[in-house]
Amino acid sequence: MPNTPWSATSDNLDQDCHNWSGGLRFRPSRLEVPESEEAVAALVRTAARQGRCIRPVGSAHSSSEIYLTDDILVSLAKIRGLGDHDAQRHRATVGAGSQLTELSKELQAAGMTLSNFGDVATQTVGGAIGTGTHGSGRNSPNLSMMLVGGRLVTAEGEIRALGFDEEPDLLRALRVSFGTLGILTWATLELEPLHDLHRQEWCLGFEPCMEALDRLSRENRNFDFYWYPRSDEVKIRCLNTPGEEKDYGAFARLAKDETGPPHAVIPQHSDLPHRFEEMEYSITAEAGTECLGKLRARIKERWRRWVGWRLLYRYIKADDSWLSEAYGRDSVSISLHQNATLPYWDFFLDLEPIMRDHGGRPHWAKKHSLRAAELKSLYPMWDRFLALRQEMDPHGRFLTPYLRRLLGC
Amino acid sequence: MEAIGRRRWTISGGHIPLESNGPEPAFTSRDEIAVLNCSGKAARLRIHIHYADRPAVGPYEVEVAGRRVRRIRFNDLIFPEALPLGEDFGAVIEADVPVVVQFSRFDGGAQPRNAVATAAYAERNLRGGRQ
């Protein structure tokens, strides 16, 4: 089992829980780590009888308050691993508490792989899906789109089987719902046959990168880049099927070159020892470079004294998950970072309006200042999601004060 | 080749200029060290940054390959946290093999000032040893 704070049940926590960055601290009244799906259901039934709130947590990598609670926190750390799977159809049912890194090794042994990853693979399946975690690539949707079925513990404490073919709208709502419709215990995922990817990282100036950006983003399977505010340099990261990579030596310097299965070469920062805070917004792909230009100018003008961290620019394919950052539009995401030991809110809040001016949608698991009134206008399916949520959880079993403010319910 | 230099170096007059002028990164104002590692093995550097009004931060860990020179801009160090620009600092650089460290500053602000190059200070008699 991953060494997480959630490895043992406790009803008298003697210390605060905290997220990965250390920026969020809270103390639930009880921490539950059920052994089975049936135990999760029993836990929810008990919570329902007692009128209590219950929140699922993954690996606590998120830096937003979506899983913070002073009531019952439930970890699925013991509901993990590869369940039923079909390597021919590239489908597998996996425990929602599976950490992506560990699950990937099991999938590798079974001849399959997740199609994409974020920069880290320390998240759990449930957490990554529920928050719309994504990697980068014009043809790569967020990880939630892998979810085609599974099993959900409802607010009544019943176990409900799910399938996209049978209930497509439920899946569209559930994919990115951060545990507000129920507790996903097992996830059936659409995967890919195991394959290798060739990762190349190239360093170049900002202007040459912008001139070639459209081509770069289209001719690589996975493509993103860092912009370094204190040197105005860029590092592009390109992943392709071996043999399909391009040579950018004419205008860039090769900094990294490696080949391996996706879980070995896409996430590069799973073991990063130094913590940071992050704000991320997704905007339409068409508006990406204009927004980036304004952010770059603002950072150089006002923030370079304090901020050395890079800005990350990624691509996300449009999807139809109701609360997905990329709902209905091919998107780019822009992430701001700051060391967790340094002040970050003033920096984030100064730049957030620029991303909002470009129709930005905040990442649910990262820092942002938006609440329901602002969010509602960003998501065409907002009202339908809330109606379904109310129907599935009429007593707010999966809500906290933060989530009530966030969703306006 | 035999290692040349010392294992511990110090810089007391660090101050990364805030303003830059001209195309970057060539004209980015900066404080920089050039580290020469003549030994046959990689040198692992641990840098601690000292400030006038708050506790030291570090270590910043950097590696310099054997028989190589590497320029390291203080501007670019972000782990464990970015150094503020325009603020006085001192640096203590410890290496696990003897190296030579040269410190330099390039100030390319709106009113360009001269570039500065100077040797860092190396302890002459670290724990009584020759290095």
Side-chain angles (χ1 to χ4, degrees):
Chain A
M1 179 186 302
N3 184 20
T4 71
W6 332 115
S7 57
T9 293
S10 172
D11 58 3
N12 282 301
L13 295 178
D14 58 1
Q15 60 183 6
D16 287 348
C17 297
H18 60 84
N19 72 326
W20 172 81
S21 72
L24 297 176
R25 292 186 175 275
F26 62 107
R27 189 171 298 193
S29 63
R30 288 170 60 190
L31 171 61
E32 295 287 350
V33 193
E35 300 273 353
S36 66
E37 178 183 58
E38 291 72 21
V40 176
L43 186 63
V44 173
R45 287 195 296 272
T46 301
R49 279 197 304 274
Q50 297 174 348
R52 300 180 69 174
C53 161
I54 185 165
R55 289 298 300 155
V57 64
S59 60
H61 197 269
S62 301
S63 59
S64 75
E65 298 177 29
I66 49 176
Y67 51 92
L68 265 60
T69 181
D70 59 5
D71 208 337
I72 302 169
L73 187 70
V74 58
S75 163
L76 302 188
K78 294 181 180 175
I79 301 177
R80 68 187 195 281
L82 181 58
D84 293 341
H85 58 279
D86 182 343
Q88 298 300 315
R89 296 177 61 218
H90 320 127
R91 283 200 175 191
T93 298
V94 304
S98 307
Q99 190 197 40
L100 296 185
T101 301
E102 295 195 343
L103 176 66
S104 295
K105 294 171 185 169
E106 290 187 72
L107 290 173
Q108 182 179 21
M112 294 180 284
T113 176
L114 304 185
S115 55
N116 207 359
F117 293 85
D119 251 2
V120 302
T122 53
Q123 308 97 331
T124 62
V125 169
I129 288 174
T131 58
T133 294
H134 61 89
S136 185
R138 278 193 179 270
N139 293 311
S140 298
N142 68 34
L143 273 56
S144 312
M145 286 300 284
M146 293 187 300
L147 185 72
V148 293
R151 295 167 70 83
L152 185 78
V153 172
T154 68
E156 290 77 35
E158 296 171 350
I159 298 170
R160 180 172 175 176
L162 309 165
F164 185 83
D165 292 340
E166 295 77 23
E167 299 177 286
D169 278 351
L170 175 57
L171 265 291
R172 291 182 182 114
L174 178 69
R175 279 172 175 150
V176 184
S177 60
F178 32 93
T180 60
L181 300 184
I183 299 176
L184 185 70
T185 51
W186 290 89
T188 301
L189 305 179
E190 186 90 54
L191 302 165
E192 291 184 352
L194 183 64
H195 56 86
D196 276 350
L197 288 173
H198 183 193
R199 181 186 185 97
Q200 292 178 300
E201 297 182 358
W202 304 81
C203 296
L204 66 163
F206 180 80
E207 297 299 344
C209 179
M210 290 300 103
E211 289 168 12
L213 187 60
D214 189 64
R215 174 167 70 93
L216 292 168
S217 67
R218 293 183 190 282
E219 64 187 17
N220 290 286
R221 178 190 189 271
N222 301 97
F223 171 83
D224 62 20
F225 68 86
Y226 284 125
W227 170 67
Y228 295 86
R230 288 186 172 179
S231 66
D232 213 21
E233 291 178 294
V234 164
K235 179 191 282 183
I236 62 173
R237 309 186 299 174
C238 311
L239 291 108
N240 293 286
T241 301
E244 296 182 0
E245 59 283 281
K246 302 294 185 291
D247 184 354
Y248 301 127
F251 59 93
R253 173 177 58 84
L254 186 64
K256 190 168 196 173
D257 191 292
E258 64 181 11
T259 300
H263 70 269
V265 296
I266 299 179
Q268 295 281 301
H269 298 139
S270 293
D271 300 320
L272 204 61
H274 300 294
R275 306 308 199 226
F276 58 85
E277 299 291 354
E278 183 174 0
M279 169 179 278
E280 176 186 311
Y281 271 72
S282 288
I283 56 184
T284 63
E286 294 76 21
T289 53
E290 179 185 306
C291 182
L292 173 64
K294 291 179 180 176
L295 292 169
R296 171 175 171 253
R298 185 74 160 193
I299 292 171
K300 291 180 79 168
E301 170 200 340
R302 185 174 288 192
W303 291 103
R304 200 150 83 151
R305 177 193 290 264
W306 307 111
V307 177
W309 261 89
R310 54 215 176 191
L311 176 152
L312 176 58
Y313 191 96
R314 294 186 279 183
Y315 291 82
I316 316 169
K317 184 182 179 181
D319 64 44
D320 62 357
S321 302
W322 291 357
L323 294 193
S324 165
E325 278 183 281
Y327 177 85
R329 62 191 203 189
D330 288 328
S331 302
V332 298
S333 71
I334 300 180
S335 305
L336 312 171
H337 305 88
Q338 175 64 309
N339 297 105
T341 53
L342 295 174
Y344 57 87
W345 260 122
D346 286 350
F347 170 51
F348 289 169
L349 292 178
D350 185 52
L351 294 169
E352 188 179 41
I354 297 174
M355 295 189 279
R356 290 194 61 201
D357 285 347
H358 289 79
R361 295 171 177 161
H363 193 300
W364 297 109
K366 300 178 184 179
K367 300 293 188 190
H368 67 89
S369 70
L370 303 198
R371 294 294 180 266
E374 296 106 345
L375 292 163
K376 177 183 169 71
S377 64
L378 298 173
Y379 291 91
M381 303 302 284
W382 184 262
D383 288 339
R384 281 192 69 182
F385 177 84
L386 287 187
L388 179 63
R389 212 219 69 77
Q390 178 66 21
E391 180 186 322
M392 293 182 68
D393 180 22
H395 303 295
R397 199 63 55 219
F398 301 120
L399 294 179
T400 61
Y402 170 80
L403 289 169
R404 289 181 186 279
R405 293 193 298 275
L406 188 77
L407 297 173
C409 56
Chain B
M1 179 182 286
E2 189 177 344
I4 299 173
R6 304 287 177 184
R7 294 178 191 267
R8 185 147 71 166
W9 297 78
T10 57
I11 295 160
S12 56
H15 185 101
I16 306 167
L18 176 59
E19 296 184 354
S20 294
N21 189 34
E24 300 193 58
F27 289 89
T28 306
S29 295
R30 58 196 180 258
D31 276 13
E32 180 178 85
I33 51 173
V35 181
L36 172 62
N37 176 15
C38 292
S39 77
K41 59 175 279 193
R44 287 175 296 189
L45 274 56
R46 291 166 57 87
I47 304 171
H48 284 83
I49 302 296
H50 296 253
Y51 295 101
D53 58 357
R54 56 195 173 96
V57 177
Y60 296 80
E61 298 182 328
V62 184
E63 191 167 290
V64 181
R67 295 174 182 157
R68 293 288 188 277
V69 64
R70 180 173 175 186
R71 290 177 177 268
I72 301 159
R73 295 185 180 190
F74 285 102
N75 313 35
D76 296 335
L77 298 177
I78 57 169
F79 295 137
E81 69 180 40
L83 280 70
L85 308 185
E87 187 170 324
D88 292 340
F89 72 91
V92 177
I93 303 158
E94 295 173 292
D96 62 350
V97 297
V99 294
V100 176
V101 174
Q102 185 178 19
F103 171 73
S104 65
R105 173 174 304 143
F106 174 75
D107 186 345
Q111 295 180 310
R113 281 138 282 192
N114 58 331
V116 176
T118 180
Y121 169 77
E123 288 192 347
R124 294 177 59 85
N125 192 21
L126 182 63
R127 292 179 185 152
R130 290 181 60 228
Q131 298 170 339

